[in-house]
Amino acid sequence: MNNERKMHLNLFLSSMGHHEASWRYPDSPTDQLMNFSYYKDLVQKAEQAKMDSVFLADRTSLSPQSVKHGSSASFEPTTLLSALAVVTEKIGLIATVSTSFNEPYNIARRFASLDFLSNGRAGWNIITSGTDSEAQNFNLETIPDHAIRYKRAKEFLDVTIKLWDSWEDDAIVLNKKTGIFADSQKVHEINHKGEFFQIRGPLNIPRSPQKRPVLVQAGTSEDGKEFAAKYAEAIFTAQQTFIDARAFYLDVKERVIKHGRNPDQVKILPGICPIIGETEKEVKERENRLQELMNFEHSLIQLSNRVGIDLTSASLDEPLPALPDIDEIQGHKSRTQLIIELAQRENLTLRQLLIRLGGGRGHHTIVGTPQKIADELEYWFLNGAADGFNIMPQVMNPDFDRFINLVIPELQKRGLFRTEYTGNTLRDNYKLNKPENQFMTI
Ligand SMILES: Cc1cc2nc3c(=O)[nH]c(=O)nc-3n(C[C@H](O)[C@H](O)[C@H](O)COP(=O)(O)O)c2cc1C
């Protein structure tokens, strides 16, 4: 089969893997946790495999339990990606940054800089954050309400986009004879006065190679989907089943159309957490081994943090205790909903639920041979549930190597994934248009 439409593959880069016990896995090189060369090798391998992009998540707090039991050390995403930009050429570089604990001017500069450093490969995963522990590192006691966070995120995006546009494309003159560096008529103050921000502008960095970095979003609540429909060019999402993924895909694409945008210009990438092996027996053994390495006390604390309710005294052998109505959850709404639905649908005890979440925090886990994994990706891709996938190996070593050496060639053989890059920027990889500049009159 030689499809015109190819799937997009992003590597969700995590230090040792997405299984919560991956760092304890015997082959995991934990001594490399803060070693740049380790990440350089992973990203260069992803580029050799022609993956579209790599992505770094971020959380700006650390609980004492994570210090003790979790693999908690990590780089600040835009810093690590700036270093990776100079040792790669084609692969996109997507960093997570929260709109709740930053200022637009700083973030606009930071992403424009990454876009220049990488010659047009920057992407921003826009998050609103969701925990009190993060708020407590930024002058607050508790996390602002969900609706307020999204309101701030909208204003944040509107002004950040204005700042990126504040230099018209041809503003730079560089005339040594006349001494004119830039045409001041083409560099604009934005003079924004809103509910959350007051910003004069212009930005102190010209319009970057992609015009704007690619905007990525990963919230799936009602507010999250509306936000994505208005701004996002790529969407990462956690979906447990094909049916849920298809419903989400249709819902978001319809919302995109309602916002007057082209649905092909918004790429939807559900997360996939594979354990890959030559035989079903081998992968089952690895799955069991990872479960043995889990620390349920720590898993329960992580689940409590995720849903924003203290579950640490709940019995592991009983069902998940009743949680407040989803409208009352002020943290990560959609993930909480997913967890409740998973526990109810499969009638899981709390221990079984923690095991299910251990492999990918609610993302879709697949355990099997390369063919089985390729079959599933093909099915979701060809049947309206995905434009591509966010690949989250459960254990980096060996699942990432196996994904690029065994699954990607299988997808290429089936005509579903590129064999060569056809451009140089993240927009080229994701087949996204360059945005117009709101200050330019044609
Ligand atoms: C693939 C993926 C990556 C995410 N990365 C982060 C992250 O790095 N930091 C974070 O606080 N939230 C992260 N999230 C969570 C969401 O961005 C969002 O905050 C969460 O889904 C709650 O938003 P909602 O209430 O609109 O659903 C991620 C979600 C997904 C699906």
Side-chain angles (χ1 to χ4, degrees):
M1 181 205 277
N2 190 11
N3 287 307
E4 268 304 296
R5 180 173 169 255
K6 303 285 181 209
M7 62 173 69
H8 300 286
L9 293 178
N10 172 76
L11 171 64
F12 187 159
L13 196 57
S14 82
S15 56
M16 297 296 130
H18 287 271
H19 195 287
E20 65 183 48
S22 58
W23 72 275
R24 296 185 65 197
Y25 198 72
D27 293 339
S28 290
T30 28
D31 58 335
Q32 302 295 305
L33 213 53
M34 298 307 288
N35 184 348
F36 175 67
S37 301
Y38 172 69
Y39 297 94
K40 182 178 91 172
D41 288 349
L42 288 172
V43 175
Q44 287 181 338
K45 277 187 198 170
E47 186 168 71
Q48 278 156 19
K50 317 295 178 210
M51 293 184 83
D52 292 72
S53 50
V54 292
F55 155 67
L56 284 172
D58 199 28
R59 172 165 287 208
T60 47
S61 70
L62 196 54
S63 68
Q65 297 82 5
S66 294
V67 173
K68 191 166 173 202
H69 298 297
S71 161
S72 45
S74 62
F75 282 98
E76 188 284 311
T78 53
T79 313
L80 178 56
L81 292 183
S82 298
L84 289 167
V86 295
V87 294
T88 51
E89 285 179 3
K90 303 276 190 182
I91 195 160
L93 305 164
I94 303 172
T96 296
V97 170
S98 172
T99 53
S100 296
F101 306 124
N102 284 290
E103 286 284 329
Y105 199 89
N106 291 337
I107 300 311
R109 291 182 75 194
R110 208 186 291 169
F111 277 99
S113 299
L114 182 60
D115 209 37
F116 274 110
L117 287 172
S118 61
N119 291 320
R121 292 181 288 130
W124 173 18
N125 176 39
I126 306 150
I127 55 158
T128 56
S129 304
T131 59
D132 290 343
S133 62
E134 290 171 288
Q136 285 154 12
N137 288 332
F138 297 92
N139 311 310
L140 298 170
E141 285 298 315
T142 53
I143 188 85
D145 281 0
H146 193 266
I148 302 281
R149 298 202 305 276
Y150 271 106
K151 210 168 173 207
R152 176 181 163 106
K154 280 193 194 127
E155 193 180 324
F156 198 117
L157 258 287
D158 288 338
V159 287
T160 307
I161 289 170
K162 265 194 191 153
L163 286 167
W164 284 322
D165 287 355
S166 63
W167 287 66
E168 294 189 24
D169 293 23
D170 56 353
I172 293 194
V173 177
L174 296 182
N175 190 326
K176 291 188 180 178
K177 266 194 202 143
T178 58
I180 301 292
F181 179 83
D183 180 346
S184 53
Q185 297 299 310
K186 295 186 174 180
V187 182
H188 305 272
E189 291 187 357
I190 70 166
N191 292 316
H192 175 83
K193 280 195 172 56
E195 186 179 343
F196 298 92
F197 306 108
Q198 280 193 38
I199 301 165
R200 194 187 67 194
L203 200 61
N204 59 357
I205 181 166
R207 201 152 147 87
S208 72
Q210 290 188 107
K211 311 302 176 195
R212 291 175 206 158
V214 171
L215 300 179
V216 183
Q217 206 270 350
T220 308
S221 62
E222 192 58 28
D223 283 339
K225 284 189 282 198
E226 273 305 298
F227 183 86
K230 181 158 186 220
Y231 299 102
E233 299 174 285
I235 296 175
F236 295 146
T237 178
Q239 300 293 334
Q240 275 290 314
T241 64
F242 168 79
I243 303 273
D244 289 349
R246 175 143 173 77
F248 176 80
Y249 187 95
L250 290 174
D251 178 7
V252 171
K253 295 267 173 165
E254 263 172 34
R255 288 172 195 253
V256 169
I257 294 168
K258 279 196 197 123
H259 279 269
R261 300 176 62 209
N262 176 354
D264 292 339
Q265 288 291 304
V266 182
K267 310 294 175 180
I268 299 182
L269 286 80
I272 298 289
C273 307
I275 295 184
I276 308 166
E278 294 293 338
T279 62
E280 290 291 341
K281 183 169 174 283
E282 183 206 330
V283 284
K284 202 71 214 151
E285 278 168 12
R286 287 216 296 121
E287 188 182 32
N288 291 340
R289 180 81 187 102
L290 281 163
Q291 280 171 25
E292 284 160 19
L293 294 172
M294 282 178 70
N295 175 326
F296 286 99
E297 192 192 331
H298 175 56
S299 310
L300 204 48
I301 290 163
Q302 280 191 306
L303 178 61
S304 301
N305 288 341
R306 191 149 286 134
V307 301
I309 308 287
D310 185 1
L311 296 168
T312 48
S313 52
S315 162
L316 288 177
D317 297 309
E318 298 288 326
L320 174 71
L323 297 181
D325 193 78
I326 206 68
D327 292 338
E328 288 167 34
I329 299 276
Q330 293 301 334
H332 294 285
K333 268 188 199 283
S334 57
R335 194 63 63 87
T336 307
Q337 177 103 40
L338 179 148
I339 290 168
I340 296 170
E341 281 171 10
L342 170 66
Q344 286 173 351
R345 189 175 55 238
E346 301 192 13
N347 203 14
L348 302 174
T349 64
L350 194 47
R351 186 188 309 276
Q352 290 166 328
L353 177 65
L354 293 175
I355 289 172
R356 288 297 304 275
L357 296 175
R361 307 179 297 280
H363 288 267
H364 183 57
T365 50
I366 317 182
V367 177
T369 60
Q371 285 69 26
K372 180 178 165 187
I373 310 242
D375 286 349
E376 192 141 347
L377 298 189
E378 177 171 8
Y379 187 77
W380 284 40
F381 177 65
L382 294 183
N383 292 287
D387 295 311
F389 300 93
N390 189 16
I391 303 303
M392 307 168 58
Q394 291 207 25
V395 185
M396 274 294 169
N397 183 21
D399 293 314
F400 173 57
D401 275 355
R402 289 182 179 173
F403 188 83
I404 56 176
N405 293 329
L406 302 172
V407 181
I408 287 190
E410 180 63 31
L411 294 170
Q412 288 168 328
K413 204 169 79 190
R414 299 181 190 187
L416 294 165
F417 187 60
R418 71 168 72 79
T419 51
E420 288 301 334
Y421 286 109
T422 51
N424 298 308
T425 68
L426 176 54
R427 286 187 181 280
D428 291 339
N429 293 351
Y430 277 2
K431 303 219 173 304
L432 296 170
N433 299 334
K434 282 184 176 166
E436 310 252 307
N437 187 323
Q438 62 195 287
F439 291 107
M440 285 173 80
T441 43
I442 306 158

